Amino acid sequence: MEGITLSTEAATLSPIALFLQADIVVKGVMVGLLLASIWTWTMIVGFSIKLRRAMRDSDEFERDFWKAQDIDKFYEGAGRADQPAAKVFAAGVQEWRRSTARGAIDRDGTRQRLATVLASATAGEVDRLADRLNSLATIGSVAPFVGLFGTVWGIMRSFTSIAAAQNSSLAVVAPGIAEALFATAIGLFAAIPAVIAYNRFSHGVNRLEGKLNRFSDGFHATLSRELELDR
């Protein structure tokens, strides 16, 4: 009989049973946190692939660029690729062509415009890459408090059960407390990966931004040397 009782209690405290026994408010909290967890892992997988591809493509583009002998020919061949370094390069080439199309070239003005365009293109590519990354920070900061709300609600329900039954035994309070703790666990399950992923991805985006800044500085220096030549 004791073995049967323990098996029944274990089944009662299973995640599915805790969800089915929960109050409608706690159920809503659990469903919301589970959806947030699914969204978190979807973003983690998707952004990992996106960031890894951006870093790889930028490395390959820079390697090919520094080997190129003619910037115009390189632009026609590889300068229109849909990846961050190529977009920065294309913005610089387009500004260079506009600034040097006139007969008399304002060297200082051209340098300033190139620096502005390259910095703007770099910032735009970083913003585009990091789009929706703040969702991870939001989930990481909000999910524990949502789980805490479910915890508080479950404990309140337990006290209500005690008052209604006029009995403070463990059998009366255990279901509500178990539901409350389960809501907290789901909140942490959603928040912890989100915080870790946000910090990791932020570091990766910062690395890519630094790489693009170094590339734009080198490209700007190359074009600046071209301005020193007699045209």
Side-chain angles (χ1 to χ4, degrees):
M1 292 296 293
E2 183 179 356
I4 297 175
T5 302
L6 290 176
S7 299
T8 304
E9 290 177 355
T12 303
L13 295 179
S14 68
I16 296 176
L18 289 174
F19 175 78
L20 295 176
Q21 295 169 5
D23 179 79
I24 185 64
V25 175
V26 180
K27 282 183 179 178
V29 169
M30 291 179 181
V31 170
L33 291 173
L34 285 173
L35 292 176
S37 180
I38 293 172
W39 174 246
T40 295
W41 284 104
T42 301
M43 286 197 62
I44 289 174
V45 174
F47 199 86
S48 295
I49 297 172
K50 184 178 179 181
L51 183 59
R52 190 180 302 112
R53 182 184 298 120
M55 294 289 290
R56 184 190 66 240
D57 291 347
S58 293
D59 287 339
E60 293 176 355
F61 182 87
E62 289 185 43
R63 184 173 60 250
D64 294 339
F65 169 77
W66 294 118
K67 292 179 180 178
Q69 300 297 323
D70 190 308
I71 292 178
D72 290 327
K73 289 182 179 179
F74 182 77
Y75 173 73
E76 296 301 328
R80 300 176 185 178
D82 186 19
Q83 55 106 334
K87 294 289 186 65
V88 174
F89 169 73
V93 170
Q94 291 166 10
E95 179 57 38
W96 168 263
R97 289 180 174 180
R98 286 191 296 265
S99 296
T100 58
R102 310 185 188 99
I105 300 175
D106 180 4
R107 289 179 171 83
D108 291 336
T110 299
R111 288 190 180 95
Q112 292 175 4
R113 286 190 295 271
L114 283 171
T116 300
V117 167
L118 289 172
S120 178
T122 299
E125 289 304 306
V126 171
D127 289 342
R128 185 171 67 89
L129 180 66
D131 185 34
R132 295 188 296 180
L133 187 59
N134 284 338
S135 297
L136 291 176
T138 301
I139 293 173
S141 59
V142 172
F145 293 100
V146 176
L148 181 61
F149 171 75
T151 299
V152 172
W153 190 271
I155 293 175
M156 290 171 57
R157 185 166 174 250
S158 297
F159 282 119
T160 302
S161 299
I162 291 173
Q166 296 183 351
N167 185 353
S168 60
S169 66
L170 184 61
V172 175
V173 301
I177 294 177
E179 296 163 12
L181 296 177
F182 187 50
T184 301
I186 297 177
L188 294 176
F189 182 75
I192 292 174
V195 172
I196 294 174
Y198 176 78
N199 291 332
R200 181 62 181 171
F201 291 151
S202 295
H203 175 68
V205 170
N206 289 336
R207 284 183 57 211
L208 181 62
E209 184 178 12
K211 179 184 292 292
L212 292 178
N213 282 327
R214 289 189 294 272
F215 171 73
S216 65
D217 289 343
F219 184 40
H220 183 272
T222 300
L223 295 179
S224 294
R225 284 192 293 270
E226 289 290 327
L227 288 174
E228 299 302 323
L229 301 176
D230 293 332
R231 298 187 62 86

